[in-house]
Amino acid sequence: MSVPAFLSIEGLAVRLGGRVVLHDVTMEFPRGRMVALVGPNGAGKTTLLRALAGLLSADGIIRLDGKAVSTLTVRERAIHFAYLPQDQSVHWPLPARDVVALGRYPHGAVDPAHLPSRDGEAVERAMVATDVVAFAGRPICDLSGGERGRVLLARVLAVEAPVILADEPTASLDPRHQLEVIRLLRAAAAAGGVIFVATHDLGLAARFADTVVVLDGGRVAAHGPPGMALAPQVLADVFRVGAFRTDHGGEPVIVPWTVV
Amino acid sequence: MKSSRVGDGTLLAALGALVVVLFVLSLGTGPVRLAPGTVVEALFGQGGEAQRVIVQEIRLPRAILAVAIGGILGLSGAALQGLVRNPLASPSLFGAPQSAAFAAVLTLSLGLADLRSFVLPLAAIGGAFASVFGLVAIAGKNASHLVIILAGLAISSLAGAATALAMNLAPNPFAALEIAFWLLGSIDDRSFRHVVLALPFIVVGAALLVSRRHAFRALTLGEDAARSLGVDVGRLRLAVIAGVAVGVGAAVAVSGTIGFIGLVAPHLVRSLVGYDPGRVMVPSALAGAALLTAADIAVRLIPSTTDVKVGVLTAIIGVPFFLHLIIRDRRTLAGGPS
């Protein structure tokens, strides 16, 4: 490839309780990529995201812009890798804006009541992008599931990290909000980031991802552009489904259709 | 930031003023009642000899201890609630005062130390550390309210039983009686020796807890999200355990067990500052100081032949409050982690 790698992963492996749950993942991505991470339940999607976020001890080398991330401080890593966990619970009813402001925590802006202007602007941008300004002052527990999902996404965008690791950001959202969330993440990719989205929605992956990584049993089963990584044989082998395929307006449509 | 919340500065000033007023009232309360003006005069070395002795030597240590102990209890409650993200957490629920008391009683009944020795707070700190550490370990990453409460109950009961055993086996029955009264929780008749024993530890514990206040806010999103924001959750946990143990352990060593301030104080200030676990901390300390000082004034005003211990009063008021919280939150409590 002629494009230089921005994020490279070399021999990444994770052991949990003596069992290898992620085997030798090696791949690289240039800037501006939307990467869909798909695979059956237990395939290792969340494990891969958590390892990239530095939440699990893993073997192998992760390089960002040529630099091994193991040499970064905890704070530098937090500035470069923003993680949106699948578990969207918020334990105290903080105002939505204060939740978004937590995205500036790794930048040293730890108190949402006294944000330096640079951080305040980042919070503002993230809130405008996710369209949550209208309920900035409302406690997050009073918001609907969709609103809360957008606030938490705004929190991740507010980090303004070059790498975003989103674990099933579209689960529990209605169709419209699913499309909006994907649009926002694509915009973050277009701005020069590498955006990972773990999802069960093969249709979204096929349509919106630049690269699809198919995990199966902790191994990369396929990796490449959607058409290749989600080829009928892969779907049959990994997901054990057959799909209805077509295209609409030049974009691929994949709908899981039959059980193989 | 513009919002409808009470400004932090205003609130802290108001709570601080309340503590000062109660502090002066506390210095004026006792067998000899003194007007606030007289108290302030005596405090600054003016006025009559008798008043000066009463205020500076007899009542001042007690008033200082009420503020310090109430403050550290309120702060510890807020910190533990922030750490386990559970509004029912408090030092008492974690068995900290009970375990500290056990360690202190063991030291006393073995004759290793007397009530005025530095060994006592150190033993109490060790006891409190063991119980809080144990409970945080049991609670793990995402324990339900039920697990925390049951584990806390078990640890408190164990500490209570161990204390009873230590008293049971105490070589001297008079010592056992003295210990039993001490356990009820009181800051009656304390001297500057007690202030010197406890205050340095309390200040260190409080500083450790307050310095972590912003991390609790990040923890609102759960442990993984907090770690991804750069919070070292393992170190935070250890800091809270150490801060609570050092502060509460030292407090118990001079006052016996005084419960429920740590539960009540954060709840009172939440109605003023909101649920932000970082913003609750300092107001909660001030509310705790005000509560214990007020309770300590109350026990001196209650007409009775034997004096009521302040620890008894806080429990009598605190337990119904705890029940009220349980009844209010019983639906979410049944549902595991919130």
mmCIF file of all heavy atoms in Angstrom, chain B residues 15-42:
data_model
loop_
_atom_site.group_PDB
_atom_site.id
_atom_site.type_symbol
_atom_site.label_atom_id
_atom_site.label_comp_id
_atom_site.label_asym_id
_atom_site.label_seq_id
_atom_site.Cartn_x
_atom_site.Cartn_y
_atom_site.Cartn_z
ATOM 1 N N LEU B 15 -22.150 27.043 54.382
ATOM 2 C CA LEU B 15 -21.917 25.874 55.243
ATOM 3 C C LEU B 15 -20.794 26.158 56.242
ATOM 4 O O LEU B 15 -20.871 25.776 57.415
ATOM 5 C CB LEU B 15 -21.565 24.646 54.396
ATOM 6 C CG LEU B 15 -22.728 23.932 53.708
ATOM 7 C CD1 LEU B 15 -22.217 22.862 52.763
ATOM 8 C CD2 LEU B 15 -23.662 23.317 54.742
ATOM 9 N N GLY B 16 -19.762 26.835 55.764
ATOM 10 C CA GLY B 16 -18.649 27.195 56.647
ATOM 11 C C GLY B 16 -19.134 28.075 57.780
ATOM 12 O O GLY B 16 -18.763 27.878 58.957
ATOM 13 N N ALA B 17 -19.992 29.050 57.441
ATOM 14 C CA ALA B 17 -20.525 29.953 58.468
ATOM 15 C C ALA B 17 -21.357 29.170 59.480
ATOM 16 O O ALA B 17 -21.274 29.412 60.692
ATOM 17 C CB ALA B 17 -21.376 31.038 57.804
ATOM 18 N N LEU B 18 -22.120 28.190 58.982
ATOM 19 C CA LEU B 18 -22.932 27.363 59.875
ATOM 20 C C LEU B 18 -22.045 26.604 60.860
ATOM 21 O O LEU B 18 -22.336 26.538 62.060
ATOM 22 C CB LEU B 18 -23.770 26.382 59.042
ATOM 23 C CG LEU B 18 -24.629 25.388 59.829
ATOM 24 C CD1 LEU B 18 -25.707 26.122 60.605
ATOM 25 C CD2 LEU B 18 -25.247 24.348 58.892
ATOM 26 N N VAL B 19 -20.946 26.064 60.341
ATOM 27 C CA VAL B 19 -20.027 25.326 61.210
ATOM 28 C C VAL B 19 -19.445 26.262 62.276
ATOM 29 O O VAL B 19 -19.362 25.896 63.451
ATOM 30 C CB VAL B 19 -18.902 24.661 60.380
ATOM 31 C CG1 VAL B 19 -17.842 24.054 61.298
ATOM 32 C CG2 VAL B 19 -19.476 23.585 59.468
ATOM 33 N N VAL B 20 -19.081 27.481 61.871
ATOM 34 C CA VAL B 20 -18.500 28.429 62.828
ATOM 35 C C VAL B 20 -19.508 28.771 63.920
ATOM 36 O O VAL B 20 -19.186 28.781 65.120
ATOM 37 C CB VAL B 20 -18.014 29.700 62.103
ATOM 38 C CG1 VAL B 20 -17.633 30.778 63.105
ATOM 39 C CG2 VAL B 20 -16.827 29.370 61.198
ATOM 40 N N VAL B 21 -20.759 29.015 63.513
ATOM 41 C CA VAL B 21 -21.799 29.364 64.490
ATOM 42 C C VAL B 21 -21.990 28.217 65.485
ATOM 43 O O VAL B 21 -22.030 28.422 66.716
ATOM 44 C CB VAL B 21 -23.136 29.691 63.775
ATOM 45 C CG1 VAL B 21 -24.290 29.751 64.775
ATOM 46 C CG2 VAL B 21 -23.016 31.001 63.017
ATOM 47 N N LEU B 22 -22.089 26.995 64.953
ATOM 48 C CA LEU B 22 -22.283 25.837 65.824
ATOM 49 C C LEU B 22 -21.074 25.625 66.738
ATOM 50 O O LEU B 22 -21.212 25.243 67.910
ATOM 51 C CB LEU B 22 -22.535 24.570 64.986
ATOM 52 C CG LEU B 22 -23.913 24.504 64.329
ATOM 53 C CD1 LEU B 22 -23.967 23.407 63.279
ATOM 54 C CD2 LEU B 22 -25.001 24.282 65.385
ATOM 55 N N PHE B 23 -19.900 25.893 66.194
ATOM 56 C CA PHE B 23 -18.664 25.768 66.961
ATOM 57 C C PHE B 23 -18.696 26.698 68.173
ATOM 58 O O PHE B 23 -18.407 26.288 69.304
ATOM 59 C CB PHE B 23 -17.488 26.115 66.032
ATOM 60 C CG PHE B 23 -16.127 25.916 66.615
ATOM 61 C CD1 PHE B 23 -15.558 24.650 66.675
ATOM 62 C CD2 PHE B 23 -15.389 26.997 67.092
ATOM 63 C CE1 PHE B 23 -14.286 24.458 67.200
ATOM 64 C CE2 PHE B 23 -14.121 26.814 67.611
ATOM 65 C CZ PHE B 23 -13.560 25.541 67.671
ATOM 66 N N VAL B 24 -19.113 27.943 67.934
ATOM 67 C CA VAL B 24 -19.183 28.918 69.035
ATOM 68 C C VAL B 24 -20.260 28.508 70.038
ATOM 69 O O VAL B 24 -20.048 28.567 71.262
ATOM 70 C CB VAL B 24 -19.445 30.338 68.477
ATOM 71 C CG1 VAL B 24 -19.760 31.324 69.598
ATOM 72 C CG2 VAL B 24 -18.255 30.811 67.661
ATOM 73 N N LEU B 25 -21.420 28.031 69.519
ATOM 74 C CA LEU B 25 -22.492 27.577 70.413
ATOM 75 C C LEU B 25 -22.013 26.398 71.251
ATOM 76 O O LEU B 25 -22.317 26.298 72.441
ATOM 77 C CB LEU B 25 -23.729 27.167 69.610
ATOM 78 C CG LEU B 25 -24.528 28.303 68.974
ATOM 79 C CD1 LEU B 25 -25.677 27.743 68.147
ATOM 80 C CD2 LEU B 25 -25.055 29.252 70.056
ATOM 81 N N SER B 26 -21.240 25.506 70.607
ATOM 82 C CA SER B 26 -20.728 24.339 71.319
ATOM 83 C C SER B 26 -19.822 24.769 72.465
ATOM 84 O O SER B 26 -19.869 24.203 73.562
ATOM 85 C CB SER B 26 -19.973 23.436 70.338
ATOM 86 O OG SER B 26 -19.300 22.413 71.028
ATOM 87 N N LEU B 27 -19.009 25.790 72.220
ATOM 88 C CA LEU B 27 -18.106 26.292 73.266
ATOM 89 C C LEU B 27 -18.891 26.937 74.405
ATOM 90 O O LEU B 27 -18.411 27.020 75.532
ATOM 91 C CB LEU B 27 -17.124 27.313 72.674
ATOM 92 C CG LEU B 27 -16.064 26.754 71.730
ATOM 93 C CD1 LEU B 27 -15.237 27.882 71.130
ATOM 94 C CD2 LEU B 27 -15.159 25.769 72.454
ATOM 95 N N GLY B 28 -20.121 27.384 74.104
ATOM 96 C CA GLY B 28 -20.921 28.051 75.128
ATOM 97 C C GLY B 28 -21.835 27.111 75.891
ATOM 98 O O GLY B 28 -22.486 27.514 76.854
ATOM 99 N N THR B 29 -21.901 25.835 75.431
ATOM 100 C CA THR B 29 -22.866 24.902 76.003
ATOM 101 C C THR B 29 -22.210 23.995 77.036
ATOM 102 O O THR B 29 -21.118 23.491 76.814
ATOM 103 C CB THR B 29 -23.482 24.024 74.887
ATOM 104 O OG1 THR B 29 -23.947 24.881 73.854
ATOM 105 C CG2 THR B 29 -24.639 23.195 75.432
ATOM 106 N N GLY B 30 -22.925 23.795 78.163
ATOM 107 C CA GLY B 30 -22.402 22.940 79.220
ATOM 108 C C GLY B 30 -23.021 23.338 80.534
ATOM 109 O O GLY B 30 -23.984 24.122 80.548
ATOM 110 N N PRO B 31 -22.507 22.811 81.616
ATOM 111 C CA PRO B 31 -23.055 23.167 82.935
ATOM 112 C C PRO B 31 -23.054 24.683 83.154
ATOM 113 O O PRO B 31 -23.992 25.240 83.713
ATOM 114 C CB PRO B 31 -22.107 22.478 83.915
ATOM 115 C CG PRO B 31 -21.456 21.396 83.140
ATOM 116 C CD PRO B 31 -21.417 21.839 81.726
ATOM 117 N N VAL B 32 -21.996 25.345 82.689
ATOM 118 C CA VAL B 32 -21.964 26.807 82.737
ATOM 119 C C VAL B 32 -22.248 27.321 81.337
ATOM 120 O O VAL B 32 -21.466 27.121 80.425
ATOM 121 C CB VAL B 32 -20.572 27.312 83.182
ATOM 122 C CG1 VAL B 32 -20.554 28.835 83.228
ATOM 123 C CG2 VAL B 32 -20.189 26.720 84.524
ATOM 124 N N ARG B 33 -23.412 27.963 81.155
ATOM 125 C CA ARG B 33 -23.733 28.444 79.811
ATOM 126 C C ARG B 33 -23.082 29.796 79.582
ATOM 127 O O ARG B 33 -23.148 30.679 80.435
ATOM 128 C CB ARG B 33 -25.249 28.587 79.658
ATOM 129 C CG ARG B 33 -25.909 27.238 79.774
ATOM 130 C CD ARG B 33 -27.054 27.093 78.830
ATOM 131 N NE ARG B 33 -27.599 25.752 79.042
ATOM 132 C CZ ARG B 33 -28.832 25.404 78.769
ATOM 133 N NH1 ARG B 33 -29.656 26.299 78.262
ATOM 134 N NH2 ARG B 33 -29.250 24.197 78.977
ATOM 135 N N LEU B 34 -22.475 29.924 78.421
ATOM 136 C CA LEU B 34 -21.826 31.197 78.101
ATOM 137 C C LEU B 34 -22.447 31.762 76.825
ATOM 138 O O LEU B 34 -22.732 31.020 75.891
ATOM 139 C CB LEU B 34 -20.329 30.975 77.872
ATOM 140 C CG LEU B 34 -19.533 30.376 79.038
ATOM 141 C CD1 LEU B 34 -18.109 30.062 78.603
ATOM 142 C CD2 LEU B 34 -19.531 31.342 80.223
ATOM 143 N N ALA B 35 -22.632 33.105 76.841
ATOM 144 C CA ALA B 35 -23.167 33.751 75.644
ATOM 145 C C ALA B 35 -22.096 33.732 74.555
ATOM 146 O O ALA B 35 -20.901 33.728 74.861
ATOM 147 C CB ALA B 35 -23.557 35.184 75.959
ATOM 148 N N PRO B 36 -22.530 33.721 73.258
ATOM 149 C CA PRO B 36 -21.553 33.688 72.172
ATOM 150 C C PRO B 36 -20.494 34.784 72.289
ATOM 151 O O PRO B 36 -19.317 34.527 72.020
ATOM 152 C CB PRO B 36 -22.422 33.880 70.923
ATOM 153 C CG PRO B 36 -23.765 33.356 71.309
ATOM 154 C CD PRO B 36 -23.914 33.644 72.771
ATOM 155 N N GLY B 37 -20.910 35.978 72.711
ATOM 156 C CA GLY B 37 -19.953 37.077 72.845
ATOM 157 C C GLY B 37 -18.859 36.738 73.853
ATOM 158 O O GLY B 37 -17.665 36.939 73.605
ATOM 159 N N THR B 38 -19.288 36.191 74.997
ATOM 160 C CA THR B 38 -18.335 35.808 76.036
ATOM 161 C C THR B 38 -17.381 34.742 75.514
ATOM 162 O O THR B 38 -16.175 34.765 75.783
ATOM 163 C CB THR B 38 -19.097 35.236 77.260
ATOM 164 O OG1 THR B 38 -20.261 36.031 77.465
ATOM 165 C CG2 THR B 38 -18.227 35.196 78.491
ATOM 166 N N VAL B 39 -17.950 33.778 74.746
ATOM 167 C CA VAL B 39 -17.136 32.688 74.206
ATOM 168 C C VAL B 39 -16.034 33.240 73.305
ATOM 169 O O VAL B 39 -14.864 32.874 73.437
ATOM 170 C CB VAL B 39 -18.021 31.710 73.401
ATOM 171 C CG1 VAL B 39 -17.167 30.773 72.559
ATOM 172 C CG2 VAL B 39 -18.929 30.930 74.321
ATOM 173 N N VAL B 40 -16.419 34.164 72.412
ATOM 174 C CA VAL B 40 -15.441 34.704 71.472
ATOM 175 C C VAL B 40 -14.362 35.464 72.237
ATOM 176 O O VAL B 40 -13.166 35.321 71.947
ATOM 177 C CB VAL B 40 -16.134 35.605 70.431
ATOM 178 C CG1 VAL B 40 -15.113 36.281 69.534
ATOM 179 C CG2 VAL B 40 -17.095 34.765 69.582
ATOM 180 N N GLU B 41 -14.788 36.241 73.236
ATOM 181 C CA GLU B 41 -13.815 36.970 74.071
ATOM 182 C C GLU B 41 -12.831 36.007 74.723
ATOM 183 O O GLU B 41 -11.616 36.180 74.646
ATOM 184 C CB GLU B 41 -14.556 37.728 75.183
ATOM 185 C CG GLU B 41 -14.954 39.136 74.797
ATOM 186 C CD GLU B 41 -15.691 39.831 75.939
ATOM 187 O OE1 GLU B 41 -15.511 39.421 77.114
ATOM 188 O OE2 GLU B 41 -16.435 40.753 75.629
ATOM 189 N N ALA B 42 -13.406 34.953 75.357
ATOM 190 C CA ALA B 42 -12.568 34.002 76.081
ATOM 191 C C ALA B 42 -11.626 33.283 75.124
ATOM 192 O O ALA B 42 -10.471 33.002 75.451
ATOM 193 C CB ALA B 42 -13.448 32.988 76.819
#
